[in-house]
């Protein structure tokens, strides 16, 4: 992706998912999104972009334009998934 313009958030999308329930789907979706010319900035997937789990909510709050929740059966069983949804501005 290209560099962010001033005031733009670095991640155009954040793919919120339960790893066991939708991890493969998140990876496939990210790959397809990155091929779309309308998506000009990065797509966040935790396994690619997160170095420290304690930073997750801050990234969601301040660095993401759009939140996409992949609704698998397990999504509401993970505090990190629920927290990301509630921290999104």
């Amino acid at each position: 992706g290209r560099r962010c313009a001033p005031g733009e958030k670095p991640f155009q999308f954040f793919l919120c998912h339960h790893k066991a329930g939708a991890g493969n789907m998140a990876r496939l979706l990210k790959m397809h999104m990155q091929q779309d010319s309308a998506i000009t900035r990065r797509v966040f997937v935790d396994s690619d972009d997160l170095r420290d789990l304690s930073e997750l909510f801050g990234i969601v709050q301040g660095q993401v334009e759009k939140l996409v929740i992949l609704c698998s059966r397990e999504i509401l069983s993970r505090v990190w998934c629920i927290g990301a949804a509630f921290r999104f501005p």
Side-chain angles (χ1 to χ4, degrees), residues 16-37:
C16 180
H17 66 285
H18 182 275
K19 187 173 185 174
N24 291 335
M25 177 63 183
R27 174 61 52 119
L28 183 61
L29 181 57
K30 179 178 179 176
M31 290 169 55
H32 282 281
M33 292 172 85
Q34 290 174 323
Q35 299 301 313
D36 188 328
S37 62

Side-chain angles (χ1 to χ4, degrees), residues 10-51:
F11 295 102
Q12 192 167 348
F13 293 93
F14 179 101
L15 302 182
C16 180
H17 66 285
H18 182 275
K19 187 173 185 174
N24 291 335
M25 177 63 183
R27 174 61 52 119
L28 183 61
L29 181 57
K30 179 178 179 176
M31 290 169 55
H32 282 281
M33 292 172 85
Q34 290 174 323
Q35 299 301 313
D36 188 328
S37 62
I39 297 175
T40 58
R41 283 171 282 133
R42 296 171 64 193
V43 176
F44 185 101
V45 170
D46 59 357
S47 57
D48 296 340
D49 302 296
L50 187 63
R51 289 175 179 70

